[in-house]
C-alpha cells in the first residue's frame, strides 16, 4: 500500500461490524499504523458480543469434540488477556459437582488433567478434587452431590471489552461510527466504495481493504455486494441466559452437566445476582433474538436439579440472548459444532476482502492479530504484531495490586463507599480518577440517578464512550439496569434525550 495523503473518508482498512472481533481488528490495525475505520449498525458490542457467558476460558466441553487446538489457544489467550485488562477480567473458581448419574468421575478428572496440560504454565490454580460435604461451595447444592472437582477460568465484562478496544483504536487514530449501517458495498478498480447510513446522514468511504466481521449477519455482505458466490453456510445458534437474585454467598461459580449431555454455568453476577446459562437453539435470521418461555423453563429446571432452592420463571429478574454464527455442519449437534474461527481472503482488481467466520470472545485478540497479519502479508508490508503486551485503557496494573488500588480510591474520594468504589474500578480501572476528577463530595458529581449513578458518570459515558441512549448506558457501559427502578430508567432516558 503506497503511503499517500488520504482524504478524511479514505481508509487503508475498513471494518463492518463492531462486535469483539471487529473492535479487536480495528485496534490491532490502528496500532500497526494503518488508517482504519469501522461502522456498526447499532451500539458497539450490542449484538452477540454483549450476550455471551462472559468467560475467558478454554472451553472444557470442547475437549469432548477433540477441539484441542482451539482449547489450547483459548487457554493461552485467557492468561494473556487477564494481564491486559485486570479491571474488567478476573479469575473465577468453577465447581463441577458430581454424582453417580453423571459422566464418570474419572473421565472428568482426565478432562481437567488435559485442560491443565493444554494451559501450560499459568498463574491460575490447577484443577483439584473437592469434598462438597465440608465445603461452603457444597452447602447450597442438593445433598446428592458429595464430591466434585474445582478448576479456574476467567470472567470478563464482554461489552466493556468491545468498547475498550474501540476507544484504544480511536486513541491510535482510527475512526469508529456506531449506529451507522453499511447499506451497500461496491468493488471498484483498486478499492471498495462503502455506503453508510446513520440517523442524520448518509456518507461513503473508500477503502483498499474491506473486512467483514458482521457475526450472525456475515452472509448479508454478499447481498449488499450482490455477489452470491461469497456466501458460506453458517449455522446460527441462539443462546440465552437468565439472571436471578443470588443463590449462594461465595465467589465461586458452578458448571453443571445435564441429562441431555449439555452443560450450563451458574456464576456470581454483579454482587447480588446469579447468572445462569446457556441454552442452544437453532435460530433463523429475522426471528427475534429473545429468551423464550421454553428456554427459561429449561434453565430453571436444569439449575433446580443442582441447587437446594428450586427456581421458577418468577425468580428471573433479567434475561438476554445472543446468536453464534458457526460453520455449517448439519451432521453434528449444536453443542458439538466447532467454535473455531476461519478467514476467507480474496483480492480482485486490487480491492481486498477479508471475511471472518466464527470466533469466541476468548480468541478475539489472536483472531485480530492473525487477520491483520494476513492483510499485511498480502500487501507485502511487514508491520509488527503488538497487542499481546499492551494493556487496554484502564488496565495498566497487576491483578495482585487491584485491592490496593481500590483502597487508594477510597482514601482519595472519601465520600465513596466500598461497593461504589469497586464498581467504578471494575468499570474504569486506573482511569477512574479521570472520571471523578477533583470531586470532594458526592454533590460535586451532580445529580444522582439512583444506585450511585451520577451525572458525572453519565456524561462520561456519553462524551467519552459513545453512549447514545439509556440502553447503551445501563446494559453495556454498566449493568445498572439490574438495580435502577423503571422510573429511574425513564428519568435517565429523558435526561439523555434532552442532551441529544
Ligand atoms: C450465548 C453465547 C454465549 C457465549 N459465551 C462465550 C464465552 O463465555 N466466552 C467466549 O469466549 N465466547 C463466548 N461466546 C461467543 C462470542 O460471544 C462470539 O463468538 C463473539 O461475540 C462474536 O463476535 P463478533 O464480533 O463476530 O459478532 P457480533 O458481536 O455479533 O458483532 C457483529 C456486529 O456486526 C454488526 N453489523 C451487522 N450487519 C451490519 C451492517 N450492515 N452495518 C453495520 N454493522 C453491521 C452488528 O450490529 C454487530 O454488532 C458466546 C456466544 C453466545 C451466543
Amino acid at each position: 500500500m503506497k503511503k499517500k495523503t488520504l482524504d478524511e473518508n479514505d481508509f487503508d482498512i475498513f471494518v463492518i461490524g463492531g462486535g469483539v472481533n471487529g473492535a479487536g481488528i480495528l485496534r490491532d490495525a490502528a496500532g500497526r499504523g494503518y488508517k482504519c475505520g469501522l461502522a456498526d449498525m447499532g451500539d458497539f458490542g450490542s449484538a452477540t458480543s454483549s450476550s455471551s457467558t462472559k468467560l475467558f476460558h478454554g472451553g472444557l466441553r470442547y475437549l469432548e469434540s477433540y477441539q484441542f487446538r482451539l482449547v489450547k489457544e483459548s487457554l493461552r489467550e485467557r492468561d494473556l488477556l487477564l494481564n491486559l485488562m485486570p479491571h474488567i477480567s478476573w479469575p473465577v473458581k468453577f465447581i463441577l459437582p458430581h454424582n453417580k448419574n453423571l459422566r464418570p468421575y474419572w473421565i472428568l478428572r482426565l478432562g481437567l488433567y488435559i485442560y491443565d496440560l493444554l494451559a501450560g504454565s499459568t498463574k491460575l490454580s490447577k484443577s483439584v478434587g473437592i469434598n462438597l460435604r465440608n465445603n461452603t461451595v457444597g452447602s447450597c447444592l442438593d445433598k446428592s452431590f458429595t464430591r466434585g472437582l474445582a478448576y479456574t477460568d476467567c470472567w470478563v465484562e464482554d461489552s466493556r471489552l468491545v468498547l475498550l478496544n474501540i476507544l484504544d483504536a480511536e486513541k491510535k487514530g482510527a475512526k469508529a461510527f456506531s449506529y451507522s449501517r453499511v447499506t451497500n458495498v461496491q468493488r471498484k478498480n483498486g478499492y471498495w466504495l462503502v455506503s453508510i447510513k446513520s440517523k442524520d446522514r448518509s456518507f461513503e468511504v473508500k477503502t483498499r481493504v474491506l473486512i467483514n466481521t458482521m457475526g450472525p449477519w456475515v452472509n448479508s455482505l454478499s447481498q449488499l455486494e450482490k455477489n452470491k458466490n461469497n456466501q458460506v453456510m453458517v449455522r446460527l445458534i441462539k443462546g440465552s441466559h437468565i439472571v436471578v437474585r443470588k443463590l449462594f454467598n461465595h465467589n465461586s461459580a458452578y458448571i453443571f452437566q445435564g441429562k441431555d449431555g449439555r452443560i450450563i454455568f451458574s456464576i456470581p453476577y454483579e454482587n447480588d445476582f446469579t447468572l445462569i446459562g446457556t441454552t442452544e437453539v437453532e435460530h433463523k435470521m429475522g426471528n427475534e433474538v429473545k429468551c423464550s418461555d421454553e428456554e427459561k423453563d429449561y434453565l430453571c429446571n436444569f439449575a433446580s436439579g443442582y441447587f437446594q432452592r428450586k427456581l421458577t420463571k418468577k425468580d428471573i429478574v433479567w434475561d438476554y440472548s445472543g446468536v453464534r454464527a458457526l460453520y455449517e455442519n448439519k451432521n453434528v449437534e449444536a453443542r458439538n459444532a466447532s467454535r473455531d474461527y476461519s478467514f476467507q481472503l480474496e483480492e480482485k482488481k486490487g480491492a481486498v476482502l477479508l471475511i471472518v467466520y466464527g470466533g469466541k470472545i476468548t480468541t478475539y485478540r489472536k483472531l485480530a492479530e492473525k487477520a491483520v497479519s494476513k492483510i499485511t502479508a498480502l500487501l507485502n508490508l511487514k508491520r509488527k504484531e503488538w497487542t499481546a503486551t499492551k494493556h487496554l485503557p484502564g488496565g495498566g496494573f497487576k491483578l495482585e495490586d487491584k485491592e490496593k488500588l481500590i483502597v487508594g480510591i477510597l482514601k482519595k474520594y472519601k465520600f465513596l463507599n466500598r461497593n461504589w468504589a469497586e464498581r467504578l474500578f471494575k468499570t474504569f480501572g486506573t482511569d477512574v480518577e479521570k472520571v471523578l476528577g477533583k470531586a470532594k463530595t458526592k454533590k460535586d458529581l451532580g445529580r444522582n440517578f439512583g444506585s450511585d449513578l451520577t451525572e458525572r458518570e453519565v456524561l462520561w459515558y456519553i462524551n467519552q464512550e459513545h453512549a447514545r441512549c439509556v440502553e447503551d448506558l445501563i446494559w453495556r457501559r454498566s449493568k445498572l439496569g439490574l438495580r435502577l427502578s423503571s422510573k429511574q430508567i425513564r428519568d435517565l432516558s429523558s435526561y439523555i434525550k434532552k442532551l441529544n
Side-chain angles (χ1 to χ4, degrees):
M1 196 177 306
K2 264 192 205 146
K3 199 79 197 135
K4 55 175 183 164
T5 318
L6 297 160
D7 292 329
E8 204 191 328
N9 284 345
D10 210 344
F11 294 98
D12 297 325
I13 298 173
F14 197 83
V15 184
I16 314 179
V20 75
N21 290 328
I25 289 175
L26 187 75
R27 175 177 184 248
D28 189 310
R32 293 201 214 192
Y34 290 111
K35 182 163 187 217
C36 45
L38 174 148
D40 195 288
M41 63 183 175
D43 185 18
F44 301 122
S46 55
T48 321
S49 299
S50 53
S51 311
S52 78
T53 312
K54 308 177 200 307
L55 299 178
F56 283 150
H57 65 158
L60 188 55
R61 73 197 162 115
Y62 307 145
L63 290 178
E64 279 189 332
S65 44
Y66 312 114
Q67 299 184 53
F68 297 115
R69 191 212 73 77
L70 176 66
V71 176
K72 184 173 174 183
E73 181 175 288
S74 304
L75 286 169
R76 307 287 160 113
E77 280 300 293
R78 175 193 71 180
D79 288 31
L80 189 150
L81 296 173
L82 174 64
N83 282 329
L84 304 183
M85 53 194 90
H87 51 331
I88 60 164
S89 175
W90 51 87
V92 176
K93 190 195 266 184
F94 283 81
I95 310 298
L96 203 168
H98 187 263
N99 70 14
K100 60 179 176 1
N101 303 322
L102 303 168
R103 289 170 180 86
Y105 187 84
W106 70 267
I107 289 196
L108 301 173
R109 193 73 205 82
L110 178 66
L112 279 169
Y113 176 71
I114 296 172
Y115 202 66
D116 287 340
L117 274 185
L118 291 174
S121 85
T122 169
K123 278 193 202 161
L124 302 180
S125 314
K126 300 261 182 226
S127 59
V128 287
I130 50 164
N131 181 345
L132 293 172
R133 278 202 197 115
N134 56 11
N135 198 315
T136 359
V137 295
S139 60
C140 58
L141 296 177
D142 187 273
K143 292 287 171 241
S144 66
F145 298 103
T146 53
R147 67 170 175 167
L149 291 151
Y151 68 97
T152 304
D153 267 328
C154 291
W155 170 264
V156 61
E157 180 40 57
D158 53 5
S159 51
R160 288 205 66 81
L161 169 68
V162 177
L163 187 78
L164 294 180
N165 273 279
I166 295 278
L167 296 179
D168 206 36
E170 287 181 312
K171 272 193 207 161
K172 294 173 172 41
K175 280 197 174 177
F177 308 96
S178 62
Y179 293 98
S180 301
R181 179 190 290 270
V182 171
T183 52
N184 193 26
V185 295
Q186 288 173 59
R187 199 190 289 263
K188 302 279 183 184
N189 223 338
Y191 67 93
W192 290 90
L193 197 60
V194 182
S195 311
I196 302 170
K197 193 170 174 359
S198 60
K199 193 174 151 207
D200 40 19
R201 64 175 182 145
S202 294
F203 59 105
E204 282 181 337
V205 301
K206 273 169 80 176
T207 183
R208 167 88 191 276
V209 179
L210 185 65
I211 304 188
N212 171 351
T213 49
M214 293 157 78
W217 294 268
V218 66
N219 274 332
S220 62
L221 180 78
S222 59
Q223 283 145 24
L224 300 180
E225 196 200 345
K226 298 175 187 66
N227 176 3
K228 284 267 182 305
N229 295 332
N230 259 339
Q231 288 218 344
V232 298
M233 297 309 285
V234 285
R235 187 167 175 184
L236 301 180
I237 312 279
K238 181 178 65 156
S240 297
H241 291 81
I242 56 171
V243 175
V244 298
R245 298 230 161 257
K246 80 171 169 187
L247 296 170
F248 44 87
N249 260 324
H250 56 76
N251 294 327
S252 298
Y254 296 94
I255 173 169
F256 297 146
Q257 309 169 66
K259 291 187 190 100
D260 56 1
R262 295 196 60 256
I263 55 110
I264 63 160
F265 297 101
S266 291
I267 307 173
Y269 191 52
E270 297 287 317
N271 282 346
D272 300 316
F273 302 90
T274 302
L275 174 68
I276 302 173
T278 170
T279 54
E280 274 168 335
V281 181
E282 299 281 348
H283 178 77
K284 264 202 190 134
M285 205 48 166
N287 285 359
E288 205 178 357
V289 184
K290 191 179 152 208
C291 183
S292 66
D293 278 351
E294 292 78 43
E295 289 176 280
K296 288 179 188 169
D297 283 334
Y298 175 84
L299 291 172
C300 287
N301 291 336
F302 203 140
S304 297
Y306 278 82
F307 289 117
Q308 284 176 25
R309 217 183 108 191
K310 304 303 164 208
L311 294 175
T312 68
K313 286 204 284 280
K314 282 190 191 142
D315 293 302
I316 300 172
V317 296
W318 186 49
D319 59 76
Y320 63 83
S321 305
V323 175
R324 293 176 200 265
L326 308 174
Y327 307 115
E328 175 71 306
N329 184 349
K330 284 214 166 103
N331 298 324
V332 296
E333 282 181 66
R335 69 188 161 100
N336 289 331
S338 174
R339 264 60 175 164
D340 215 342
Y341 54 85
S342 77
F343 304 107
Q344 190 178 316
L345 179 68
E346 53 150 73
E347 182 178 13
K348 271 190 215 153
K349 296 195 271 174
V352 178
L353 174 65
L354 180 73
I355 307 179
V356 176
Y357 295 102
K360 295 170 53 175
I361 298 275
T362 315
T363 49
Y364 91 93
R365 190 206 64 83
K366 195 73 195 170
L367 179 155
E369 190 175 79
K370 286 186 189 166
V372 180
S373 294
K374 271 185 185 296
I375 293 161
T376 302
L378 189 83
L379 301 175
N380 280 331
L381 254 184
K382 277 252 177 296
R383 289 191 180 169
K384 268 196 169 158
E385 297 170 349
W386 64 279
T387 55
T389 51
K390 296 285 181 290
H391 62 80
L392 284 180
F397 65 95
K398 291 206 170 85
L399 181 68
E400 47 272 31
D401 292 338
K402 191 168 183 170
E403 181 55 28
K404 202 166 72 193
L405 290 164
I406 295 176
V407 171
I409 289 163
L410 278 164
K411 270 193 192 145
K412 180 159 181 187
Y413 300 100
K414 296 216 165 29
F415 57 92
L416 297 177
N417 60 38
R418 170 76 208 194
N419 279 350
W420 190 1
E422 202 173 308
R423 177 179 74 75
L424 291 176
F425 192 77
K426 285 177 171 177
T427 308
F428 302 110
T430 52
D431 283 346
V432 76
E433 295 190 20
K434 290 188 193 158
V435 182
L436 298 178
K438 292 188 176 136
K440 291 267 179 287
T441 65
K442 216 170 169 172
K443 255 190 166 173
D444 293 339
L445 299 178
R447 183 171 163 190
N448 187 342
F449 291 92
S451 295
D452 291 327
L453 173 65
T454 63
E455 203 165 359
R456 176 80 62 89
E457 192 180 337
V458 170
L459 290 174
W460 180 272
Y461 291 136
I462 291 170
N463 296 329
Q464 311 293 333
E465 295 194 352
H466 295 276
R468 295 270 195 94
C469 62
V470 74
E471 285 77 22
D472 297 352
L473 219 138
I474 63 170
W475 294 119
R476 288 181 286 279
R477 303 306 175 278
S478 74
K479 287 288 181 286
L480 287 165
L482 286 168
R483 299 180 186 279
L484 297 174
S485 68
S486 319
K487 165 143 189 356
Q488 287 170 328
I489 294 174
R490 276 199 308 277
D491 289 349
L492 178 61
S493 178
S494 358
Y495 173 84
I496 297 170
K497 278 183 189 143
K498 275 186 206 143
L499 294 175
N500 288 330

